[in-house]
Amino acid sequence: MTKDKANQMWGGRFEEKPSDIMEQINASIGIDKRMWIQDIRGSIAHATMLSQQEIITKDEAVQIVNGLNTIAEEIKSGNFEFKASLEDIHMNIEARLKDLIGDVAGKLHTARSRNDQVATDFRMWTRDAAASVIEQIKSLQAVLEALTVKHKDHIMPGFTHLQAAQPITLGVHMDAYWHMLERDKTRMRDCMVRLNECPLGSAALAGTPYPIDRDFTAEKLDFDRPMLNTLDGVSARDFANEFLFVTAQCGLHLSRLAEEIILWATPQFGFIQLSDAWSTGSSIMPQKKNPDAAELVRGKTGRLNGNLVQMMTVLKGLPLAYNKDLQEDKEPVFDSFDTISLCLQAMKGMLESAAFNTDAMLNSAEMGYTTATALADWLVMELGLAFRDAHHITGAIVKMAEDKGCKLDELALKDLQSVESKITDDIFSVLSVKNAVKSRNS
Ligand code: ARG
């Protein structure tokens, strides 16, 4: 069976074209076309550098740059045909450049390989994604900050083991998530520092004999500097791992908040009411209002973790330098970016439109003997008891309140004194949840 001539970009020594399945397993265009802007930007910087270094002529560079700009317009307006037979975004663009400007297009790839090209494009794409995640974290933080201020005096039960532990405020609970996100933001900024070195000029792996100017292209593409080792330049993907870890960690933080929203939205808790815009109904049980967005934020943590594990597994044991396995790097990163963006936006929308039932929270804080620790602290600070003894006495007082079916601050002084005779009236200053919260200043 005769086959068409081989791939026009690398087929010099090939007589047959690839089998259909080879083409399918080899093609990444369906995924990496998302990097078209970065690819064109990288190529324009490279062509400009080649002409400055007199590796190609000024006129050739002008033709190449104009052609690339035309392609950018075509892609933007949806008039570009992406072809799987051309494998990836790099060859799709280069082939189109040849259609547009003829053989001079072939000069663009001087002193460059797809290996340093793809590493450069992917770093630029991930850098933009990281900056966008930081902005999205900031806007969720603004909502959390507003809730922290609004609810700074609204009492709720704080939990350990999901058992009512001590009274806290809704404000401080919201503020805890603000701090988690603050760390995620600094992690992402830190990832951007290491990511921001330019592999361009590494060529296939061993550098290039042309008198290129790596500082020029690095600067033009907003990198801090060129990568020093060319083998590392084409094969390092730890920046992708870091991005995937930070998105997974941020998703994990969101999943904890999501879980609390889900619990709080149950009639049993009744702490929060989600707006209709952020809930769904049941097709069979008319009374239900389900917190699906929160459940999905919780569930999508699985994807984010999975993407990190996928990338780490692809990289494990890979010899230097470039291996085609590395083409598997983009899908998890793109997916984690899309996923964390959705989760951050959903969480923001849910929280800013939710109604918090502060009466139910206060009620709940008053029901679970949550001021018992404050009572024990009072015994230590006012009567000079050892904390362990105070703990024991408080246990007996809680038991007494339980037997009488009342709250701690509803016990009579003489009842309290029947357990510890030195207790005075002053103890009532800490037994209410409001005073218990007020007394804690750390
Ligand atoms: N599509 C490839 C990737 O994403 C580009 C690099 C291909 N290099 C090569 N030598 N085949 O990794």
Side-chain angles (χ1 to χ4, degrees):
M1 188 169 95
T2 51
K3 295 215 175 187
D4 296 343
K5 186 77 177 105
N7 185 299
Q8 58 166 311
M9 309 302 287
W10 44 250
R13 60 168 291 191
F14 288 76
E15 285 173 359
E16 286 185 303
K17 77 172 215 181
S19 87
D20 291 346
I21 298 296
M22 175 61 203
E23 191 170 294
Q24 257 187 57
I25 196 171
N26 203 31
S28 57
I29 186 64
I31 308 283
D32 60 28
K33 64 180 174 197
R34 258 181 100 162
M35 302 195 307
W36 68 268
I37 291 187
Q38 289 76 16
D39 195 68
I40 287 178
R41 189 178 166 202
S43 287
I44 288 176
H46 183 67
T48 309
M49 181 278 292
L50 290 177
S51 92
Q52 273 196 22
Q53 298 300 104
E54 299 178 354
I55 299 167
I56 62 175
T57 67
K58 282 228 154 49
D59 177 56
E60 287 165 343
V62 168
Q63 291 183 58
I64 289 171
V65 170
N66 288 344
L68 288 167
N69 283 326
T70 304
I71 293 171
E73 289 307 318
E74 289 177 353
I75 298 178
K76 225 182 290 171
S77 60
N79 292 320
F80 187 94
E81 196 198 339
F82 294 100
K83 295 184 189 139
S85 60
L86 289 166
E87 276 186 50
D88 57 23
I89 187 62
H90 324 294
M91 298 215 292
N92 268 271
I93 288 176
E94 200 186 317
R96 179 67 187 138
L97 188 64
K98 191 171 177 195
D99 293 344
L100 289 172
I101 66 171
D103 285 341
V104 64
K107 299 211 168 186
L108 170 60
H109 215 49
T110 315
R112 184 176 78 169
S113 152
R114 266 189 299 156
N115 297 351
D116 59 343
Q117 184 180 359
V118 70
T120 305
D121 294 358
F122 191 29
R123 278 174 190 263
M124 286 195 279
W125 193 93
T126 308
R127 182 175 66 190
D128 289 350
S132 163
V133 171
I134 288 172
E135 288 311 307
Q136 295 180 68
I137 290 177
K138 277 190 203 160
S139 48
L140 174 55
Q141 276 184 308
V143 174
L144 289 167
E145 197 177 329
L147 290 172
T148 300
V149 172
K150 180 171 178 195
H151 297 295
K152 75 177 173 27
D153 295 323
H154 288 140
I155 309 275
M156 66 174 284
F159 297 90
T160 61
H161 312 269
L162 205 53
Q163 305 284 330
Q166 294 181 23
I168 57 167
T169 65
L170 176 56
V172 86
H173 200 111
M174 291 294 116
D175 183 57
Y177 285 102
W178 185 93
H179 281 275
M180 293 178 225
L181 291 173
E182 185 65 12
R183 289 195 296 278
D184 293 335
K185 226 167 59 188
T186 61
R187 281 186 188 98
M188 198 55 108
R189 288 201 184 110
D190 191 44
C191 158
M192 288 173 82
V193 170
R194 274 181 297 281
L195 172 157
N196 208 32
E197 295 188 336
C198 187
L200 202 60
S202 301
L205 76 164
T208 172
Y210 298 93
I212 61 170
D213 183 346
R214 295 193 63 193
D215 291 320
F216 176 89
T217 39
E219 200 187 312
K220 193 126 189 105
L221 299 173
D222 292 323
F223 286 103
D224 295 330
R225 63 192 75 82
M227 288 182 81
L228 289 180
N229 185 293
T230 56
L231 298 179
D232 186 42
V234 292
S235 63
R237 294 292 185 276
D238 42 298
F239 72 90
N241 289 344
E242 287 193 48
F243 178 84
L244 290 168
F245 170 71
V246 180
T247 50
Q249 177 59 66
C250 182
L252 189 154
H253 282 150
L254 297 183
S255 80
R256 299 184 69 175
L257 180 51
E259 168 66 5
E260 299 204 302
I261 290 174
I262 292 161
L263 282 172
W264 294 357
T266 58
Q268 287 75 11
F269 267 85
F271 286 4
I272 195 174
Q273 178 134 31
L274 294 177
S275 71
D276 288 353
W278 292 97
S279 318
T280 61
S282 159
S283 50
I284 175 166
M285 297 163 283
Q287 86 282 10
K288 292 195 76 184
K289 194 165 162 185
N290 295 327
D292 290 39
E295 291 169 271
L296 286 162
V297 168
R298 185 177 61 182
K300 282 183 189 294
T301 322
R303 280 175 95 101
L304 295 166
N305 292 351
N307 287 337
L308 172 63
V309 171
Q310 178 188 334
M311 188 71 230
M312 303 264 283
T313 310
V314 166
L315 292 173
K316 182 196 170 292
L318 270 193
L320 290 176
Y322 179 84
N323 300 272
K324 196 65 175 254
D325 316 43
L326 290 174
Q327 183 165 281
E328 290 293 308
D329 57 1
K330 286 156 218 88
E331 201 168 0
V333 169
F334 293 174
D335 185 68
S336 281
F337 172 66
D338 293 341
T339 302
I340 198 69
S341 300
L342 258 181
C343 291
L344 285 163
Q345 290 171 57
M347 196 50 95
K348 174 172 184 265
M350 253 185 296
L351 281 179
E352 67 193 353
S353 61
F356 289 88
N357 186 349
T358 50
D359 291 341
M361 290 184 171
L362 177 62
N363 234 344
S364 170
E366 284 176 334
M367 292 209 334
Y369 304 112
T370 56
T371 57
T373 313
L375 194 165
D377 289 333
W378 184 91
L379 295 172
V380 171
M381 293 200 287
E382 301 302 323
L383 303 186
L385 299 185
F387 185 78
R388 283 292 159 223
D389 297 331
H391 186 284
H392 199 77
I393 290 165
T394 306
I397 293 173
V398 168
K399 173 89 175 42
M400 178 188 284
E402 219 168 34
D403 292 345
K404 289 181 187 276
C406 69
K407 300 180 203 162
L408 290 177
D409 62 350
E410 287 167 355
L411 289 168
L413 181 60
K414 68 171 179 2
D415 292 332
L416 295 166
Q417 286 169 338
S418 73
V419 181
E420 167 52 61
S421 61
K422 293 202 278 305
I423 290 177
T424 68
D425 219 20
D426 181 54
I427 197 162
F428 290 102
S429 68
V430 297
L431 286 187
S432 78
V433 289
K434 283 209 170 85
N435 289 337
V437 166
K438 221 179 275 167
S439 70
R440 304 188 120 64
N441 52 26
S442 69

